[in-house]
Amino acid sequence: MNHAQQVDIELIVNHEKINCRVPVRVNLVDFLRNELGLTGSHVGCEQGVCGACTVEVDGTMVRGCLMLAAQADGSTVNTIEGFAESGRAGHLQQAFATHNALQCGFCTPGMLASALEYLEQGGVADRAAIRQHISGNYCRCTGYQAIVDAIEEVAGQTETTDGQ
Amino acid sequence: MKAPDFNYQRPASLSAALQLLHDNDQDAQLLAGGQSLMPMLHLRIAQPDMLIDLNRIDELATIDAGDAHIEIGSMVRYAQLEASEQIKTCLPLICSALPHIAHSAIRNRGTIGGSAALADPAAEMPALLIASNASINLVSTKASRVVSADDFFTGLYETALQPGEIIKSISIPKPGNNSVFGFYEITRRHGDYAMAGVAISAQQQSPLHKMRVVFFGVAEKPLRAHNCEQALENGTANDSGAIDLAIKSLEQLPLMGDQHTGVDSKRHLAGVALKRALQELH
Amino acid sequence: MANKNAPLHLFDRPNSYIGQSVPRPEAHNLLAGRGQYVDDLQLPRMLHAAFLRSPYAHADILTIDTTAAADSAGVVAVYSGADFADQVTPWVGELTHLTGLRSPPQMPLAIDTATWQGEPVAMVVASSRALAEDACALIDVQYQPREAVCDPVAALLPESPVIHSEYKNNLAWERDVTAGDVEPAFADPANTVVEQVLRFGRHTGVTLEPRSSVVEFNPAEQTLTYHYSGQAPHMMQAVLAKHMQLPEENIRIIARDVGGSFGIKIHTYGDDIATALAARLLARPVKFIADRLESFASDIHARDHHIKARLAVTSDGTIAALQMYDYTGIGPYSMYPRTSAIECNQILNLTGAPYKIENYHANGKVVFQNKNMMCQYRAVGHPVAMAVADSLLEQAAREIKMDVVEIRRRNLIEDNAYPVVSATGMKFADLSHQQALERLVELMQYEKLRKQQSTANENSIRTGIGLVSMVEVTNPSPMFYGIGGAPISAQDGATVRMDAAGALHVSCSITEQGQGTNTIIAQVAAGVFGVDIKRVKVTTGDTATTPYGGGTWASRGAGIGGEAVLLAADALKQQVLEVAAIVLQSNADSLDISQGNVIDKSDSAQRMSLDELGKLVYYRGSELPAEVQPEFVATRHFRVSDFPFVFTNGAMAAQVEVDTDTGIVKVLDFWVVEDCGRVINPKLVDEQIRGGVVQGIGGALFEECLYSDDGQLLNATMADYLVPMAGEMPDIHIAHIETPTSTSTLGAKGAGEAGTGGAPAAILNAINDALAPLGASIHTMPATPERILQALGEVPT
């Protein structure tokens, strides 16, 4: 069987309007990486378990491997490249660098996406809650501790700011 | 590990979806949240000729509170349930279990109907639906019917869904004021499928009355334990004699092990989960 | 060769970054999603490979029909093993210094017989990975299944089928080590003897970035470029050259960002070689990215040891004798070129290594089996060796009612005793077991914790504390592999050059997989030479542009590569000062470099900037005397020469909570005292140790490749193979003792294996400490809930 059905999709990726024709079986992260060259999102398991492909679709963080690109038609998608360029993850990026919260960097884009979700949903500087929130993102290199330190620091800053 | 090729359809209405399903039933598979189907496609365990994507059918994505029931559209996502004030107020059992289901990014996509239709024996939602005495509202091009959750989950990844049918919604009766609930699952890591878990509801606490005790992660399907319910009925949640009898009754249940946890351990852990869920009944 | 004349001021100079937590310059790149991993490469006309793998653990391949696959959409080529037979020479995983080790020749794809489930049998090259997978499904292979040999102990019984017909049995290698005489100690009724059967499940690396290769071949020049996700570019170059029969200089290996390796990506895999062969045959770039399923089925596994061991202690707790028998299954072949006998060898060498043991006997048998191949993965042998010795030691302490710290105090090799040669012939120097133990006791507040423990137990919860004293093999010398004939360099080189703007460019043969290699190189170079670290640019991971060297493995990067950088930067500095002295009409000995300026040594007065000097030399050479030909570039190499390896040591402790109803172990706290010699960058080394500890906790509690009796891998997904996640991991407290190695000026030893090597023993001991009052114990890793419930008698075995 080789239908090779393709569909035209139109979406906004990192504030840029994209029109593209994709084979229907291509998942979102493969599309972002291979068609758009946004290689910051990584493919670690293709099963939704490792979290390396986590991207934002219409305001929620999702596994890029568990959605078809065709399903993102009409959506607004943000990836690590977008978070970085817009400055939205600036505090987190700085804190990750300061705390050495990454080694090989392969999990980092997905980890940042989950951390961003935690913070933007009002997450506080509570280590157990942070650990729980990022428990769907696998990191083989660090002991997670520096990652928790980094997120905790930014959450603490946000709390202080809110308090003022 | 790339999905095989398939034909993709994205109907905008339930009736269009039903027609597509009717026309292609042998070869078509419904795509709900995709959090289980997508991995199966990647592993090529699932190889449908056609995927019918339900994600653009707005009428399936609503939560409606009636006088006696809450009706949850099959495409309502876990995250939507978590955020819903109605669920928080009316369905404390489901509400307390939601944070245990996988991880945030999965709950952002996974749907209640998808979980029911998949009927993964280790998943929380099927057991929660049985414990909540839910009804599954099914539709096809020809008819609609209602199947109680008790009767819906028929076996390992098997349900009462007939060819051509789609889960339209799930109706959960609003529990009475005296109702109490318990939920406990034993997992090795946060968000994992449970080694053993149990969902409990009762229409009153002391004495316990009209109980529903449903185990998950221990058998080929979510398992309502009638003998266990009887042992506990009319007792209290801390009646150790009744609890011992209830745990003893688990010996009669047709349990099933998995690669990490054999059937004896499952039985033991089911008992532990039951005891702990009863301790936390609220 | 203690470098007593080494200028200590190297580490105290204004630009010294040694000992500082300098952030990694590449961190912001990775944090912006701008890393460059192999799968990110898209080359013109690039094709994609997928492999059909054996569904059987052991089967004869009768026929392979590729007709339908070849006709499938997008397919450019389909290969079976026979198609590559004249394209590559077979490789053999043997080393001459591991006397008696044998392994049959291997080819990229199975020919005639498949010997593990997951062995590549056929290859499809197509215009996309998805189309290649579609075609794989159309390949028709007829198999005749054979009995699978799985259990390494049963595999040596006379009735077992033999996997390789050229051998009479399934033994790959055997080693016996004897020191003193163990028998009298075990026979002495005054001694307490403890005995255990310990089992260590198979683990695998689960690098988040899977094995990845993109290979380009230029037929006109006969050159091959291999974009490599791995640790040892020059080794890979030598392996490809030898077996593809290309001149070594025609092969270029490039490793950009590597998404974790841990020893997984340092071996010769048939699918990677097949990718290179296809690229040559097709003269087009070919990409192969292992998916997670094939990662589990074909990335090397590790551990898989069945050990029977006993320990005798005298009534005062002195170790009188230690004996162990190790059976280890390595899959159907010995991996190439490092071999699969090293882990067993390490276990025989390292068990009991922190302690004074005169009477020692160990026997190891390395056995072929029909499972995926086993080879060196992070902390090779260490977790097994440490768990065997330290679990027996703590058990013995309990039996003679002695505190587990006290029994260590009585047996650890004294800090002032070095150099020491162990019972197994290991040469130890510059270790600090006693200091490490005492520092650990203080760090964890051991006495207080013990007091709390007696009151902490309620309901089903039992707490336990476990310790480990450990050694770690780092900075290997050529005695490790090179001596046995492997194309593996144990020396590393660094080239440091100064440009016209006075900035430094360092290229070094060690490699970066996220540890911070490049940062450490920059720290050393900047400090030794005398510039701001921002003015140091580092290149690693490219055989075309770096000096020859071993790469990064066995915790050798900072210790060996770092020393090469130190020597090269110092040599360049002398060259620069000599030229500066001519320009300044001064004496090189009276000058120094600091903050990017040439200064007077005596009063630090600035004489000229390196920028000025660079421009003068490169642009206005006519101003220099004719006989002066400046060379602002220096290369130095370094190897460890007096020792086979540089050992480090550490002490660790875990506090756990065992839920005796569920069998679930929660790690409450974890402490590490590590002596990795001179600490170059505390933040990097600390998180390296923490990552190691977490990997060790994974091995102790979660990770195991489960096989059916007929050799089917049952849990080849990340949903079923449980890795440690953030939710279950504790915060890990770290303290350092710095005993620099006297084998180098830098004094750095390795730290990469420590956590993974030590944590499992500490966790196991803590669990058994918790279970001991209940009369239960466990000696199988991972200590799963089910195994703990079985140990407690809650469920039948």
Side-chain angles (χ1 to χ4, degrees), chain C residues 193-199 306-311 323-325 387-388 391-393 395-396 398-399 764 768 776-780:
Chain C
V193 176
V194 291
E195 186 168 336
Q196 284 300 341
V197 172
L198 298 103
R199 285 169 178 262
H306 300 229
I307 289 176
K308 191 173 175 185
R310 58 179 179 157
L311 178 82
Q323 185 175 39
M324 66 181 289
Y325 295 90
V388 168
S391 71
L392 289 174
L393 190 66
Q395 188 186 349
R398 269 192 293 276
E399 296 212 359
L764 188 69
N768 283 330
S777 67
I778 179 163
H779 291 89
T780 299

Side-chain angles (χ1 to χ4, degrees), chain B residues 213 215 224-233 242 245-253 274:
Chain B
V213 176
F215 292 95
R224 187 165 172 198
H226 294 283
N227 290 345
C228 190
E229 292 167 5
Q230 275 165 24
L232 296 165
E233 187 80 17
L245 270 178
I247 290 174
K248 181 96 181 129
S249 77
L250 302 181
E251 285 171 17
Q252 299 144 20
L253 287 178
L274 175 66

Side-chain angles (χ1 to χ4, degrees), chain C residues 442-453:
Chain C
E442 184 189 306
L443 181 71
M444 67 189 288
Q445 298 188 280
Y446 179 77
E447 302 296 338
K448 191 175 156 197
L449 219 56
R450 276 287 179 214
K451 284 201 190 91
Q452 288 169 351
Q453 185 186 10

Side-chain angles (χ1 to χ4, degrees), chain B residues 250-270:
Chain B
L250 302 181
E251 285 171 17
Q252 299 144 20
L253 287 178
L255 303 192
M256 189 177 85
D258 60 35
Q259 58 188 355
H260 293 291
T261 313
V263 68
D264 292 320
S265 301
K266 292 272 186 190
R267 203 175 303 278
H268 169 83
L269 292 171

Side-chain angles (χ1 to χ4, degrees), chain C residues 429-446:
Chain C
D430 312 318
L431 300 185
S432 60
H433 286 300
Q434 292 178 313
Q435 251 192 93
L437 179 65
E438 298 311 325
R439 182 79 185 86
L440 179 71
V441 164
E442 184 189 306
L443 181 71
M444 67 189 288
Q445 298 188 280
Y446 179 77

